[in-house]
Amino acid sequence: DTGVSQDPRHKITKRGQNVTFRCDPISEHNRLYWYRQTLGQGPEFLTYFQNEAQLEKSRLLSDRFSAERPKGSFSTLEIQRTEQGDSAMYLCASSLVEREKQYFGPGTRLTVT
Amino acid sequence: SQQGEEDPQALSIQEGENATMNCSYKTSINNLQWYRQNSGRGLVHLILIRSNEREKHSGRLRVTLDTSKKSSSLLITASRAADTASYFCATENTGTASKLTFGTGTRLQVTL
């Protein structure tokens, strides 16, 4: 169990640019989740995969956001035409089965200037 | 959206004292989980309590759940400076297939 990893850990970008984040879950976990956390708040759910299928998306995930998990292993989260309001910590988590604890990665902190 | 609120928002205690945090939520749940987050880092799972359970222990942690009041509490006994962190409750709501809905968190400061 090497834990959930995320890359990059920090990203600074200018408004209007596209950014892509990567998440590598724990290897045997088939469930993968993305959350967003703004300063002083708890994480908010964005989307969830079971294997390669994206099963649920939050209304927070506007059409500028897209997430993939092409082979049921790692996942990417892309934000197009970034806005200052996208500045947040993006957290990835994975789990083996539903209704059990989720293991979180260290997060990617995005700053949009 | 946030599920509910945690109380207090901030708590400062001395090492050795007990810390109690409360969490309220709004809808029916499958389970409730508590996580710890050190400043600017990812979340660490502490304990999970299912909707049919009323109390659970893990080391210095004690969690209670009252589904009739839609509330939970986390007790940390004999606190240490290393317990300084933000603590979040998160619910897996009925019919929402695994996603977690987090509270607003309690910032705990344990001083020497």
Side-chain angles (χ1 to χ4, degrees), chain B residues 85-101:
Chain B
S86 291
Y87 291 81
F88 294 92
C89 69
T91 54
E92 187 185 304
N93 300 335
T94 304
T96 59
S98 299
K99 74 178 186 184
L100 295 176
T101 303

Side-chain angles (χ1 to χ4, degrees), chain B residues 58-103:
Chain B
S58 176
R60 294 184 295 113
L61 306 180
R62 173 179 169 254
V63 168
T64 62
L65 178 64
D66 186 335
T67 53
S68 67
K69 295 181 179 178
K70 292 186 169 59
S71 67
S72 175
S73 68
L74 170 67
L75 169 67
I76 304 174
T77 60
S79 62
R80 306 166 181 168
D83 295 328
T84 295
S86 291
Y87 291 81
F88 294 92
C89 69
T91 54
E92 187 185 304
N93 300 335
T94 304
T96 59
S98 299
K99 74 178 186 184
L100 295 176
T101 303
F102 284 83

Side-chain angles (χ1 to χ4, degrees), chain A residues 91-103:
Chain A
L91 294 162
C92 175
S94 69
S95 68
L96 184 59
V97 294
E98 66 178 7
R99 305 190 183 187
E100 290 295 338
K101 65 181 181 181
Q102 295 182 15
Y103 294 80

Side-chain angles (χ1 to χ4, degrees), chain A residues 6-38:
Chain A
Q6 292 187 246
D7 183 67
R9 295 290 304 277
H10 303 272
K11 179 71 176 178
I12 300 174
T13 191
K14 292 185 178 180
R15 188 174 50 191
Q17 297 293 305
N18 299 343
V19 294
T20 300
F21 310 141
R22 176 178 171 128
C23 170
D24 287 88
I26 294 171
S27 59
E28 66 268 25
H29 287 184
N30 58 18
R31 286 170 166 78
L32 185 148
Y33 314 82
W34 285 98
Y35 295 84
R36 182 173 71 185
Q37 185 179 25
T38 53

Side-chain angles (χ1 to χ4, degrees), chain A:
Chain A
D1 179 356
T2 57
V4 178
S5 62
Q6 292 187 246
D7 183 67
R9 295 290 304 277
H10 303 272
K11 179 71 176 178
I12 300 174
T13 191
K14 292 185 178 180
R15 188 174 50 191
Q17 297 293 305
N18 299 343
V19 294
T20 300
F21 310 141
R22 176 178 171 128
C23 170
D24 287 88
I26 294 171
S27 59
E28 66 268 25
H29 287 184
N30 58 18
R31 286 170 166 78
L32 185 148
Y33 314 82
W34 285 98
Y35 295 84
R36 182 173 71 185
Q37 185 179 25
T38 53
L39 199 61
Q41 299 295 314
E44 293 181 289
F45 171 80
L46 292 178
T47 190
Y48 150 60
F49 290 85
Q50 182 171 330
N51 298 312
E52 64 274 10
Q54 188 173 18
L55 296 186
E56 188 171 347
K57 295 195 294 185
S58 163
R59 66 180 184 278
L60 294 175
L61 216 64
S62 74
D63 56 6
R64 295 185 298 106
F65 288 71
S66 63
E68 294 182 342
R69 194 182 183 198
K71 296 182 180 179
S73 56
F74 72 92
S75 175
T76 59
L77 177 68
E78 180 183 17
I79 309 174
Q80 296 182 327
R81 305 181 304 281
T82 52
E83 301 173 355
Q84 285 188 321
D86 297 331
S87 295
M89 174 80 88
Y90 290 84
L91 294 162
C92 175
S94 69
S95 68
L96 184 59
V97 294
E98 66 178 7
R99 305 190 183 187
E100 290 295 338
K101 65 181 181 181
Q102 295 182 15
Y103 294 80
F104 280 80
T108 294
R109 183 170 296 283
L110 173 66
T111 302
V112 182
T113 61

